């Protein structure tokens, strides 16, 4: 596949993620921090987000599985996940975390269980799309292309 087609796929994927509300402006700001002196910056940040998210989701699942649920602990975990999601610009994950925290405040077990499921779904969706984006970027660079946000670096 040629660079132009890969670049178009990348642009289309990014446009879709923003239109669907998966990402917000924070993600653009992270992209701007990547340059020739730090060409893997975005991949490193996204990979750390994946690692942290997996650990936090596992902790939340364990906490919600206990009886009785410690709502202060789950709220703290959700707050941590919200912050992590915010820092990378994962807008829909962050928004679900906001709702999740209201269920924690109300000590609503069913609401927390449903919110955990929704958080997991939103996380899996953004993870899949970001992995696709990173793979496209690797392919573009491997065949001598330049990523749009790195032009002029």
């Amino acid at each position: 596949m040629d660079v132009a087609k890969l670049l178009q796929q990348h642009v289309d994927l990014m446009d879709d993620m923003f239109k669907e509300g998966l990402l917000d402006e924070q993600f653009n700001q992270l992209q701007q921090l990547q340059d020739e002196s730090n060409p893997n910056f975005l991949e490193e940040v996204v990979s750390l987000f994946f690692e942290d998210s997996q650990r936090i989701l596992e902790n939340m699942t364990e906490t919600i599985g206990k009886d009785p649920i410690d709502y202060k602990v789950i709220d703290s975990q959700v707050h941590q996940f919200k912050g992590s999601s915010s820092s990378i610009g994962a807008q829909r994950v962050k928004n679900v975390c906001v709702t999740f925290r209201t269920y924690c405040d109300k000590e609503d077990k069913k609401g927390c269980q449903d919110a955990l499921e929704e958080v997991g779904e939103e996380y899996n969706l953004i993870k899949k799309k970001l992995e696709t984006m990173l793979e496209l970027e690797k392919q573009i660079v491997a065949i001598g292309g330049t990523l749009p946000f790195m032009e002029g670096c």
Side-chain angles (χ1 to χ4, degrees):
M1 191 172 286
D2 68 4
V3 173
K5 286 182 182 177
L6 289 171
L7 283 169
Q8 189 57 55
Q9 284 181 1
H10 186 273
V11 167
D12 292 345
L13 177 62
M14 295 305 299
D15 286 348
D16 287 347
M17 285 194 284
F18 280 96
K19 286 177 188 168
E20 294 171 15
L22 291 168
L23 295 176
D24 63 21
E25 183 56 35
Q26 178 64 28
F27 191 81
N28 283 336
Q29 291 176 14
L30 288 174
Q31 283 182 317
Q32 299 307 316
L33 295 174
Q34 183 163 305
D35 58 24
E36 289 174 358
S37 68
N38 199 357
N40 298 320
F41 176 77
L42 194 60
E43 180 179 7
E44 291 168 6
V45 170
V46 169
S47 294
L48 285 172
F49 170 67
F50 292 162
E51 290 172 23
D52 286 347
S53 297
Q54 200 58 49
R55 179 183 48 77
I56 296 168
L57 283 167
E58 288 170 7
N59 290 343
M60 289 191 297
T61 300
E62 183 180 318
T63 301
I64 284 185
K66 292 181 179 173
D67 192 26
I69 294 174
D70 187 334
Y71 290 98
K72 289 192 182 339
V73 170
I74 192 68
D75 183 62
S76 174
Q77 292 165 338
V78 175
H79 180 70
Q80 185 181 9
F81 197 44
K82 178 179 157 255
S84 180
S85 301
S86 264
S87 70
I88 199 166
Q91 183 174 332
R92 284 187 9 194
V93 174
K94 177 190 75 173
N95 292 343
V96 174
C97 287
V98 170
T99 303
F100 196 156
R101 291 192 74 200
T102 63
Y103 292 121
C104 293
D105 290 342
K106 295 176 187 175
E107 297 191 0
D108 178 343
K109 182 176 183 173
K110 175 79 168 110
C112 285
Q113 290 169 332
D114 292 346
L116 177 60
E117 186 176 327
E118 189 176 354
V119 164
E121 289 168 4
E122 288 295 337
Y123 167 72
N124 287 331
L125 179 61
I126 192 67
K127 182 176 189 277
K128 182 180 177 195
K129 294 205 178 216
L130 287 174
E131 286 172 337
T132 300
M133 178 208 70
L134 291 171
E135 185 56 38
L136 280 170
E137 290 180 1
K138 285 179 185 174
Q139 290 176 24
I140 290 166
V141 170
I143 59 175
T146 305
L147 301 172
F149 56 87
M150 289 183 66
E151 289 174 358
C153 291

